[in-house]
Amino acid sequence: HRSNPGTPTSADIGTVSVWFKRGNFPSGNNLRIWNHGDGSSPNIELLIFGSSNKMLVNGNAAGGTSITTERVFRDPHAWYNAVVRIDTSQDTASNRVKLYINGELVSDIDGTPTYPSENGDIFQNTPDWRIGSWSNGTGHDWDGYISEVVYCDRQSLNPTAFGEYSDSGIWRPIDPTSNTFGDQGFYLPFTDSNYL
């Protein structure tokens, strides 16, 4: 949890990358992977629906965001990398928020997605960052592992800034410290000395 971190370099552009692995599968609860928001009104967040096991990019800032995957995430043995790339300066609505899983753009969307307004502010200066929890209660805490959390302020980055394919075609993490983090960006590796 990072409370009131300050004013970002850009409220319109940013990229978040996180590696995660599922644990238990509680019924009914939406499990927060990360959340940027204030109270019960997240500006942007990444979560897994407890009932369907699909992933959702959700938020209320700049007219709202709602992107749900057709894909389900039910493998407790697999590590996944999710990259959420935001650039609300884009003319085309679907280019303003993009979700990548293990290096691939998610194009199979469940239902009708909602995208933020053009030039809408997503990364505002007052909300908290929460990793693995929700700012409005404790019933939606993540169950599993989280690692390599990166936020690049004012950078719209491809997933290749955070991972690469091995010779056998497995998506794996790379050192993200060569990226530009901006005023409020961060890198949380969650190693033995820096863990969640």
Side-chain angles (χ1 to χ4, degrees):
H1 173 218
R2 188 183 188 196
S3 180
N4 297 327
T7 303
T9 310
S10 172
D12 305 346
I13 302 173
T15 308
V16 181
S17 173
V18 60
W19 288 79
F20 66 93
K21 182 178 181 181
R22 298 207 63 178
N24 293 321
F25 287 65
S27 61
N29 283 347
N30 298 332
L31 304 179
R32 263 63 183 186
I33 300 173
W34 56 260
N35 180 328
H36 176 264
D38 190 6
S40 61
S41 181
N43 285 348
I44 195 75
E45 64 181 347
L46 183 69
L47 58 92
I48 294 224
F49 275 136
S51 57
S52 69
N53 295 302
K54 296 180 179 182
M55 183 175 290
L56 172 65
V57 180
N58 177 62
N60 296 317
T65 302
S66 180
I67 303 168
T68 304
T69 64
E70 284 281 2
R71 177 180 178 176
V72 297
F73 295 82
R74 291 187 295 218
D75 186 353
H77 305 290
W79 277 95
Y80 301 98
N81 171 229
V83 174
V84 180
R85 182 180 182 183
I86 296 171
D87 182 355
T88 65
S89 70
Q90 297 293 316
D91 294 336
T92 302
S94 60
N95 288 335
R96 295 174 197 154
V97 178
K98 292 184 176 182
L99 171 63
Y100 300 83
I101 301 296
N102 292 346
E104 296 185 1
L105 177 66
V106 174
S107 56
D108 293 332
I109 305 299
D110 183 13
T112 302
T114 301
Y115 297 99
S117 57
E118 188 173 358
N119 296 316
D121 290 347
I122 301 293
F123 300 105
Q124 301 174 25
N125 64 346
T126 54
D128 298 342
W129 279 101
R130 289 179 180 262
I131 311 299
S133 68
W134 191 28
S135 53
N136 187 32
T138 59
H140 303 276
D141 293 347
W142 179 250
D143 192 312
Y145 297 92
I146 292 176
S147 184
E148 296 287 320
V149 181
V150 184
Y151 163 48
C152 292
D153 177 9
R154 201 183 65 177
Q155 302 296 314
S156 176
L157 301 175
N158 283 311
T160 50
F162 311 101
E164 65 181 7
Y165 289 105
S166 68
D167 292 340
S168 57
I170 304 299
W171 185 251
R172 61 188 182 185
I174 61 173
D175 182 357
T177 56
S178 62
N179 295 316
T180 300
F181 291 90
D183 289 346
Q184 296 302 322
F186 53 80
Y187 168 42
L188 304 175
F190 295 135
T191 59
D192 290 342
S193 60
N194 178 14
Y195 58 88
L196 177 65

